[in-house]
Amino acid sequence: MYFPILRARQFELLALRECVSKNILSNQIIPIVEPVKVSSTYTKTVDSFIKAEKLIAIIRNPQVGSWIKDSKRESNAKTFQQACEQLKNSSIISSFYVTPNLEACINLAAKNGVSIDSLLLLCTSPEYVAHYEKTVGDSRPLYNVIPDKGDFRRRIRPNRVMCEDHFPKQTRNIDYSNIETEFFSSDHLYYEDDGYKGFSDYSVVGEEYSETGFAPYAVAIHIVYFDEKNILRIAHFVSDSNDDISDPARKFAEAAGKLVAWNKTMNLDTVGIREFEAAYNAQTYPGLGVVKKYSIMHHLELMSRYLDGVAK
């Protein structure tokens, strides 16, 4: 099982919704979504999983974004109420970050009929392992998402999911110019041998979260693919006209042109790749958010095909 962690920003949500609507998301994939803003895009995305009867894990104590603040605004009351109602559906796996407030979160969930053995818990800080042990005790949450590190492995044993941030983050997009391709992950090959129920990462976005965007000097497209040993690698396609922030459409065309040329040899055929090729051939600029959406969709479809092949 694969558990990609995505912050619920607009284009991450749209990527998930399109994967569901186009039926390219395997049942072997359970996205973990951290709500960051109360919006109709969020509720529509969750609703698409509910209607398709696909599992999705929703983090109920988000640690980034403005979800808590947004939930208290009168203008968001109807949307927030809908989001709360969705949590009652059987397609939703209630999920919590392990924090010093974990006990209060689990007790509140229990009052609403959500038992601890149906929860997904994410413990990413060694400082909070003791809070996990104190609160969970001998109970067995449905999934425990943890880093593949000694102290976590020794102290959190049942139903473990290996979690690592594999995206090779550079300071600037232009820094990918000299890195055509690099290692991404082999977790999918070894997680079962290492005693895990599944594996998790932050897709091609990375764990780092920022509230604000900015106009980049360079446009970079990140595409994962399997090598001959089924190890995941990631290729980077970067624009050339990177002296200033002007003309992002030109920058996209330069980066996409490199991707299209590369794929004539690789022959990757996913919805995301086809969308990149269509935009390039039509000489249209979809915007940087859509670029990210296409890359995520490609990653999720690629992993869906791999996992469904393994499952057969």
Side-chain angles (χ1 to χ4, degrees):
M1 296 287 291
Y2 174 42
F3 298 79
I5 301 173
L6 294 169
R7 271 58 182 261
R9 287 170 289 203
Q10 180 181 8
F11 290 100
E12 284 89 335
L13 291 170
L14 292 176
L16 288 173
R17 195 196 308 175
E18 289 196 32
C19 282
V20 171
S21 68
K22 296 179 185 299
N23 197 29
I24 58 175
L25 188 69
S26 169
N27 289 331
Q28 299 289 320
I29 295 180
I30 301 177
I32 302 173
V33 172
E34 181 172 9
V36 296
K37 183 179 181 181
V38 175
S39 70
S40 60
T41 305
Y42 167 80
T43 53
K44 287 178 181 177
T45 299
V46 174
D47 198 45
S48 71
F49 277 79
I50 292 173
K51 289 179 178 177
E53 298 183 344
K54 285 185 175 292
L55 293 175
I56 182 171
I58 302 296
I59 295 174
R60 297 178 61 166
N61 61 338
Q63 302 298 298
V64 297
S66 59
W67 179 266
I68 303 301
K69 185 192 302 181
D70 289 352
S71 68
K72 298 174 181 177
R73 292 179 179 167
E74 187 175 345
S75 59
N76 292 326
K78 184 177 179 180
T79 304
F80 181 67
Q81 181 60 34
Q82 182 184 358
C84 292
E85 289 296 319
Q86 288 175 329
L87 292 172
K88 301 175 184 177
N89 191 277
S90 59
S91 288
I92 309 302
I93 300 175
S94 287
S95 310
F96 293 100
Y97 278 114
V98 175
T99 71
N101 296 321
L102 179 64
E103 185 173 5
C105 291
I106 288 181
N107 288 341
L108 182 59
K111 288 180 181 179
N112 292 314
V114 181
S115 63
I116 194 169
D117 62 358
S118 68
L119 297 178
L120 181 151
L121 300 181
L122 298 94
C123 188
T124 57
S125 169
E127 296 292 336
Y128 296 156
V129 174
H131 295 287
Y132 172 94
E133 292 174 321
K134 176 184 176 183
T135 302
V136 174
D138 294 330
S139 300
R140 296 174 66 89
L142 184 62
Y143 297 110
N144 289 304
V145 182
I146 62 171
D148 184 32
K149 296 177 182 176
D151 206 42
F152 292 94
R153 290 196 305 268
R154 286 189 288 266
R155 299 170 67 182
I156 300 178
R157 294 186 176 273
N159 300 331
R160 296 181 300 192
V161 173
M162 175 194 305
C163 179
E164 299 292 338
D165 180 9
H166 291 298
F167 182 69
K169 179 67 176 176
Q170 296 290 335
T171 304
R172 305 168 303 165
N173 282 345
I174 198 171
D175 295 334
Y176 292 103
S177 296
N178 297 320
I179 311 171
E180 293 183 0
T181 176
E182 58 187 314
F183 174 87
F184 187 77
S185 175
S186 59
D187 291 349
H188 54 287
L189 297 174
Y190 305 113
Y191 73 94
E192 289 182 303
D193 293 340
D194 292 340
Y196 290 93
K197 295 284 188 179
F199 59 100
S200 176
D201 59 31
Y202 294 83
S203 186
V204 292
V205 182
E207 182 178 8
E208 183 179 297
Y209 177 80
S210 174
E211 291 277 3
T212 57
F214 59 92
Y217 278 72
V219 167
I221 300 172
H222 310 287
I223 299 295
V224 294
Y225 65 98
F226 289 110
D227 69 10
E228 65 279 359
K229 295 183 178 180
N230 270 343
I231 291 172
L232 270 180
R233 296 183 63 82
I234 185 165
H236 311 289
F237 307 95
V238 184
S239 56
D240 297 312
S241 54
N242 304 325
D243 294 332
D244 55 42
I245 63 173
S246 65
D247 203 353
R250 176 186 175 188
K251 297 177 191 296
F252 168 75
E254 292 168 347
K258 295 177 182 180
L259 165 58
V260 170
W262 174 80
N263 198 43
K264 288 180 179 178
T265 300
M266 298 300 295
N267 296 314
L268 297 174
D269 184 22
T270 63
V271 172
I273 292 293
R274 291 197 295 272
E275 292 285 7
F276 274 121
E277 292 176 335
Y280 175 74
N281 291 331
Q283 297 184 329
T284 58
Y285 172 51
L288 294 178
V290 177
V291 168
K292 178 167 64 174
K293 181 184 77 170
Y294 292 163
S295 294
I296 294 171
M297 289 176 64
H298 165 73
H299 183 201
L300 295 182
E301 183 175 359
L302 197 73
M303 294 308 300
S304 292
R305 292 179 182 176
Y306 172 82
L307 290 168
D308 285 344
V310 167
K312 291 178 181 178

